[in-house]
Amino acid sequence: MSECSAIPSSLIGYAHWGTSADGRLAQQARALGDALDAFRTSGPDPKYIASIPALDQPASEYARLAAAIDDWVGRVGEAFKQAGQAQAALSARRGVPFDPLTTRISASAAAISAAARTEEVTLQADIAALVPGARSAVASFLTAQEAGPDPRLAAEVSAWWHTLDPQTQQQLITSDPSVIGWLDGLPAAVRDLANRERLGASIQQLTAEKAQLEHDVQLPQWGYWMVRSGSPRPPGTVTPAQNAAWQQELGRVEGLLQGLEAIKGRLGQPGRGQHGLPPVYLLGLDTNELGHAIVAFGNPDTARNVVTYVPGLGSQLSGAAGDMTRAVRVWSEVHAVAPGQQTSSIYWLGYNAPQLGSSLTDPFSSQSVASESPANQGAVALDSFAAGLRAAHVPSFAAHTVILGHSYGSLVVGRAAVRELGRLADDLIFVGSPGVGVNSAAGLGISPSHVWAGEARFDPVPKLPPFDPLEWFGPDSHFGTDPASPAFGGRVFRVDGHLGTIHIGPIPILPNPFPEHSQYWDPGSISLRNMALIVAGLYREVAVYASVPDPTPGPSPTPPPATSPGPPGLPDPSPGPSPTPGSHG
Amino acid sequence: MSDVRFDQQAAAAAVQALADTAALLRSTTDARAGAARQALAGWTGPHADRFRDQDLRRLNAEASGIIRQLVALQAGIEAAQAQASRDLVRQNQGPGGRLLP
């Protein structure tokens, strides 16, 4: 139990007792002093008192020391009392009990402020001495994390965090939320607190920016004809280039706000679920570039199963609503197939995903879907995040970890898996993958029987050709062998797929394969069920294709059922589609 | 008039005050230990550690040291009292002593 997880009720009582005892002692010390003075001034013959030892430790000094300590204990007790009152008020306002960690931190915050009010010198001195060092330490940890993960870093962060006293922890959450919020290895509840602080501040800041930009784009423009005529620019006008820049920035800000509001709507109260879902933890958030976020449905530190979903092409914070819906659907499906298992389903947008745009297919653009640069950068962050999940998990048991990569996200997962073979996760799932950067499941560092792939029949992304035209007719996709092909050597599970239709006006013209790329999470779909079964570790129930050779046997997976339908690439038709939560991949 | 310059009454008052102070300090130290145990039962963390490992230890050590000094001082004064009494008796029983028959 930490100092602030419970409010000791006996400190004030101790201080009251001590004050009374110290008073009696001080009174007795004065009486003793008077008696000794009287004896000394009575003029005894020196020969009688020469051998009497001196009293070099007067009882009065002891009484003063005891009183100072008892007073200090009383102040600590008062701080706890005020912390308890603040905690109760906070609980009443929020209407929910806190989880123990949140409670502890809130109590710590109240204790600190109470201590500050009562000028409790020791507490302040402790904090003053510890916080600067701790702030420096967290900054160093984050720098190391972003530079490229040391495999032991997250565990070191976790161990270091637990050496800090609650007051210092709370100080860091308040003073450095942008660092604490992203530091892998810290408890989910701590990151959540830090990022919730950032969320509110970011919405406030971006709302102000949006208002300013909306005003700015309305300013009259200095027309091109005036530029040509050489007329001086009239006061209060702006150039078309400036206006275009503002319009672009306004679009970015509106997108970020859309994503932040979507996250805010999902969060609910700290440590408390809503709408039948588990508590939501905000494990990462920033509005740099197109924004980044990590949202966990269920506490990953205590869950038995932890699945991390890595989105792909076109992913950005503005689309957080759709991606969170996918994570929620996985959680709900796992809950349905394995109701007794505590699961955390995480939406992980911790990298700059390639975006749709003019540079989309330019292999020399760092943001192109043809480039591996975003995947390589994302892999570093994903590897670190996965290490953080392991480090922060309760030590009583290890979670079953799964990483699910969609589309370009599967390349991020593949790149992360080969950074340190066998460490990233227990199971890897790829859906709609253009390749994962290696040509065989065995190259990912775990048993191929734990490498899973799903692919809708007409999903165009896995069919993106390799760079080399000589490989266009082989099994390779854009970034290596298609993980849903037999040549890859993993397990391929069944997927539903439903073509869309291209219309000209109201008239249907052509079948549209693109919706299939986003249908893997459709409610009721066999793909969603299969992914949930893998997350729950119910491998025997996963509907896999019988024609896929059974890969190297692993300890956990089971052979495919005899009823497994058709060969890979030929999924069976199934009932109609439902709306897709996200349109990107 | 006696040649023994020693105020037995003042010495006795000092001895009594020393004994009372030592007794109070002993009882306070014992009671403090009990109250501290009770306080620490619901209190853990760095400040509790400081209180238990530093403050209480220091208070106990200083109380023990003071009690030792009080006892030693009391013993010294009592010895002086006895010596003064013996000198007084010797003086009175000697030549020209007032108590001689």
Side-chain angles (χ1 to χ4, degrees), chain A residues 94 192 196 263-274 279-280:
Chain A
R94 298 190 177 193
D192 180 54
R196 281 175 190 253
I263 289 171
K264 185 180 173 186
R266 282 285 190 187
L267 282 184
Q269 301 290 345
R272 187 184 174 100
Q274 55 182 358
V280 181

Side-chain angles (χ1 to χ4, degrees), chain A residues 1-11 14 17-18 21-22 24-26 28-29 31-32 35-36 38-39 42-49 51-59 61-62 65-67 69-70 72-73 76 80 120 122-123 126 165-167, chain B residues 3-7 10-14 16-18 20-22 24-25 27-29 31-33 35-36 38-48 50-51 55-56 58-63 65-66 69-70 72-73 76-77 79-80 83-85 87-88:
Chain A
M1 182 170 60
S2 92
E3 185 159 26
C4 294
S5 60
I7 309 299
S9 57
S10 52
L11 299 192
Y14 172 86
W17 169 86
D22 298 335
R24 287 196 303 275
L25 199 54
Q28 178 59 39
L32 174 61
L36 291 174
F39 174 58
S42 68
D45 191 323
K47 70 179 181 182
Y48 295 121
I49 61 173
S51 60
I52 295 177
L55 188 61
D56 57 9
Q57 237 182 327
E61 280 187 24
Y62 171 86
L65 170 68
I69 291 172
D70 293 336
W72 175 80
V73 172
V76 173
F80 276 118
E120 207 291 280
T122 304
L123 273 176
D126 286 353
D165 64 273
Q167 288 84 2
Chain B
D3 291 328
V4 176
R5 278 193 296 123
F6 192 87
D7 188 338
Q16 186 61 52
L18 286 164
D20 290 345
T21 306
L24 181 60
L25 205 45
S27 68
T28 300
T29 303
R32 181 182 298 282
Q38 198 177 349
L40 285 165
W43 182 27
T44 58
H47 297 93
R50 174 196 143 165
F51 175 66
D55 295 334
L56 280 180
R58 184 179 172 196
L59 285 176
N60 285 337
E62 294 211 8
I66 290 173
Q69 289 191 37
L70 294 174
L73 183 55
I77 295 175
Q83 184 62 44
S85 296
D87 287 351
L88 185 60

Side-chain angles (χ1 to χ4, degrees), chain A residues 288-317:
Chain A
N288 299 335
E289 301 182 52
L290 294 175
H292 307 92
I294 306 174
V295 184
F297 296 88
N299 187 345
D301 294 350
T302 56
R304 179 193 181 283
N305 304 306
V306 180
V307 53
T308 303
Y309 156 53
V310 182
L313 169 67
S315 299
Q316 51 182 276
L317 191 56

